[in-house]
Amino acid sequence: MNRVSSTAFAVFAILFSAHSYSQNAAGALPADPTALMTLAHERNGLTGSGVKPWHMHGTYHSYKDGKPEYEGTYEEWWISPTQYKVSFSNPKETQTDFATGTALLRDGAQEWLNGPELLLRSSVVEPLLDPAQLKEFTLQRSEQTVGANKIECVSLTYPVHGSVRATGDVYPTACFESSMPVLRVFEINGSRIVYDQLAVFQGHYIARQIRIVSDGKLEADLKLDVIEALKPDLVLSAPATATPVDLTKIKLKEGKSHWPALLKKATAAYPILAKNHQVSGIVTIRAALRADGHLENLQPTSGSEMLWNASTDAVEQWVYRPFVVMGQPRPAEMEIYVNFSIN
């Protein structure tokens, strides 16, 4: 079970209407962890059948070793899961996707982004797992004290098989306000996503400020300055320069984005023979990500062959959040890196 650091909870403002506050403060959170996670999925972010068209704009930063790397802007016009326009722009590249209802068109950089952009966007729009994926885990409920405050947490634990191991610091863990299903922290694969400056929009909790911290260092942040409703008759037109994206052949590169988010991770056992011969380094594996988040067709492509079997034994047990595009989970090709270090 993860212990949430007190530094994760900065001073924040929750901008509830009196009506919505009284509704949530009237009773305790569900005692059952699955019921709590299901309720929290419905109330945090902007997913679900009741969501009406919206527009967001914000500024984000990427950091390297805790120091600013670049600044960018995020903007999205959302009509439905299959109709939207989402744009990221930074000094390195600009990319705008237009979902027309039947196709995805892309203007600007054509490769799928592998910086923090997609994780930041998901952390706003759908920060928690779809309840259907909870069956992959054993859920454990706990109460923690952070300073003078109490928070309610749910950890998603899982077994691994064979000679590999799982470490508790990579179990997904979500923490909420003590009397409301307001997501404050989501820890996943060694990263901590912190939600601050919360507001209620269309009956959902939205964080205006999100920070991603890895290994104690700030990795990315996003601050929204606009969250507003859109007219339902808005038409999103793609420019002539936008080209169709082949959604049957999605190729992803594992980067600092941590997206798709890794939910289950098994750590490879170091082969004794390789360790005795001081063999170390990174093994690169090409894998197919299925629509359900599981991997198949693992093929090591680089690194010492003495480490290949151990790498694939571990990685074949990994599970990711599904890579959803236009409201549908999509299969994709990925590159995965497994690091073996003697020390």
Side-chain angles (χ1 to χ4, degrees):
M1 171 64 187
N2 295 0
R3 301 297 301 179
V4 177
S5 167
S6 60
T7 60
F9 288 84
V11 177
F12 65 97
I14 301 182
L15 309 176
F16 298 130
S17 67
H19 174 68
S20 65
Y21 180 85
S22 62
Q23 277 187 319
N24 289 288
L29 295 175
D32 177 71
T34 301
L36 173 54
M37 291 293 288
T38 301
L39 174 63
H41 179 268
E42 294 172 355
R43 297 302 305 274
N44 291 272
L46 285 172
T47 59
S49 58
V51 178
K52 298 177 182 179
W54 49 262
H55 169 237
M56 287 187 192
H57 179 278
T59 301
Y60 68 95
H61 299 87
S62 176
Y63 299 84
K64 187 175 182 179
D65 297 325
K67 298 179 181 179
E69 183 180 22
Y70 62 82
E71 177 179 295
T73 57
Y74 155 66
E75 190 163 17
E76 182 164 358
W77 298 258
W78 187 94
I79 296 175
S80 73
T82 61
Q83 291 182 282
Y84 55 83
K85 172 185 174 182
V86 57
S87 178
F88 290 99
S89 179
N90 63 60
K92 298 167 57 179
E93 58 192 353
T94 295
Q95 183 178 96
T96 304
D97 282 356
F98 300 83
T100 68
T102 57
L104 185 70
L105 305 177
R106 177 167 292 166
D107 195 31
Q110 292 299 302
E111 291 187 352
W112 292 91
L113 298 175
N114 73 328
E117 286 82 4
L118 296 183
L119 177 57
L120 287 169
R121 189 260 178 191
S122 174
S123 298
V124 173
V125 177
E126 190 175 11
L128 292 169
L129 279 63
D130 186 285
Q133 203 168 24
L134 294 178
K135 65 180 183 296
E136 298 262 4
F137 304 91
T138 299
L139 276 60
Q140 297 180 350
R141 178 84 177 269
S142 68
E143 182 183 77
Q144 298 184 25
T145 300
V146 179
N149 301 315
K150 298 283 188 181
I151 56 172
E152 298 288 337
C153 297
V154 177
S155 287
L156 283 62
T157 63
Y158 51 87
V160 295
H161 309 288
S163 59
V164 302
R165 60 186 176 85
T167 55
D169 61 349
V170 298
Y171 291 146
T173 299
C175 294
F176 309 92
E177 290 294 307
S178 60
S179 60
M180 296 177 289
V182 182
L183 180 64
R184 297 309 317 282
V185 170
F186 189 33
E187 295 187 338
I188 186 166
N189 191 27
S191 293
R192 177 180 293 122
I193 307 172
V194 184
Y195 299 82
D196 285 318
Q197 297 185 11
L198 292 132
V200 168
F201 177 72
Q202 297 189 10
H204 293 244
Y205 305 122
I206 303 294
R208 289 182 176 270
Q209 181 171 310
I210 292 172
R211 292 177 290 125
I212 302 173
V213 179
S214 298
D215 298 324
K217 296 180 180 179
L218 186 61
E219 185 171 335
D221 61 31
L222 169 66
K223 188 168 185 178
L224 298 174
D225 51 47
V226 175
I227 306 176
E228 62 184 4
L230 281 181
K231 294 181 179 180
D233 58 353
L234 176 72
V235 177
L236 300 175
S237 299
T241 52
T243 58
V245 178
D246 186 352
L247 296 180
T248 67
K249 296 181 180 180
I250 298 175
K251 293 185 178 181
L252 305 174
K253 208 169 200 179
E254 186 184 78
K256 60 187 295 184
S257 65
H258 305 304
W259 191 256
L262 180 58
L263 301 176
K264 288 185 177 182
K265 183 177 182 179
T267 301
Y270 214 126
I272 298 299
L273 184 61
K275 183 176 285 190
N276 289 342
H277 285 80
Q278 298 289 296
V279 175
S280 61
I282 295 174
V283 175
T284 302
I285 299 174
R286 184 180 295 119
L289 177 69
R290 300 194 323 229
D292 63 2
H294 290 258
L295 297 171
E296 61 185 7
N297 300 331
L298 275 59
Q299 299 179 0
T301 58
S302 68
S304 171
E305 293 188 15
M306 296 179 70
L307 304 171
W308 283 9
N309 286 340
S311 299
T312 55
D313 286 347
V315 171
E316 68 182 2
Q317 299 187 50
W318 292 12
V319 179
Y320 290 81
R321 282 189 70 170
F323 190 69
V324 178
V325 183
M326 295 184 64
Q328 181 179 333
R330 310 278 179 170
E333 293 182 13
M334 298 183 67
E335 275 190 354
I336 297 170
Y337 307 101
V338 182
N339 187 25
F340 290 83
S341 175
I342 298 294
N343 297 323

